[in-house]
């Protein structure tokens, strides 16, 4: 499956952005999906994940209550609505897909995901 992110940009603290990730190549509803981010000099961090049907969502503590993950399987698209953004949210954001169904991906570990997009940059100024 190929993944292409969009929607990144520069916003002020407290602002909002909506990221999108369009999938192609394989049936989108066969994959559990995730959002990750990586700031310069830091490791890749799991932000959120959603199961193949969209019925279950998972969030890191750092974004819980501010970010919402969703998917539209008819449009082969994954979304991340980001509200009340903070400077520490600044990073390159990646969407990822996994064909694992053992639940290991729900811990938002990058190692559990095997398909990755190229990323979209989010910059939040104070």
């Amino acid at each position: 499956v190929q993944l292409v992110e969009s929607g990144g940009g520069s916003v002020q603290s407290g602002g909002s952005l909506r990221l999108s990730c369009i999938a192609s190549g394989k049936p989108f509803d066969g994959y559990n999906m995730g959002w990750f981010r990586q700031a310069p000099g830091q490791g890749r961090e799991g932000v959120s994940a959603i199961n193949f049907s969209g019925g279950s969502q998972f969030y890191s503590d750092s974004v819980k209550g501010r970010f919402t993950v969703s998917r539209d399987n008819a449009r082969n698209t994954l979304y991340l609505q980001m509200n009340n953004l903070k400077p520490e949210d600044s990073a390159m954001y990646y969407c990822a897909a996994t064909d694992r169904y053992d639940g290991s991906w729900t811990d938002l570990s990058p190692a559990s995901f095997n398909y990755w997009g190229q990323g979209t940059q989010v910059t939040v100024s104070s």
Side-chain angles (χ1 to χ4, degrees):
V1 63
Q2 290 78 48
L3 305 171
V4 179
E5 305 93 335
S6 62
S10 297
V11 296
Q12 291 190 328
S13 183
S16 297
L17 284 173
R18 188 194 197 199
L19 305 184
S20 298
C21 172
I22 296 178
S24 62
K26 294 280 185 72
F28 181 59
D29 59 5
Y31 294 91
N32 300 307
M33 301 294 296
W35 286 101
F36 296 80
R37 66 187 182 187
Q38 188 168 17
Q42 299 186 20
R44 195 162 292 190
E45 173 194 13
V47 174
S48 182
I50 188 168
N51 76 331
F52 66 97
S53 68
S56 298
Q57 302 87 36
F58 305 88
Y59 299 94
S60 67
D61 288 342
S62 61
V63 307
K64 198 172 295 182
R66 300 187 297 122
F67 291 10
T68 303
V69 62
S70 62
R71 64 190 295 165
D72 185 340
N73 286 344
R75 297 178 183 271
N76 294 338
T77 305
L78 175 73
Y79 302 100
L80 185 68
Q81 177 67 45
M82 306 186 295
N83 297 328
N84 190 21
L85 283 160
K86 305 175 181 181
E88 52 264 42
D89 294 319
S90 297
M92 185 71 78
Y93 281 71
Y94 300 90
C95 74
T98 179
D99 50 14
R100 293 188 180 188
Y101 283 81
D102 60 1
S104 62
W105 56 275
T106 63
D107 64 1
L108 303 182
S109 169
S112 297
F113 289 77
N114 43 357
Y115 301 96
W116 293 85
Q118 294 300 305
T120 185
Q121 179 69 40
V122 171
T123 303
V124 185
S125 58
S126 57

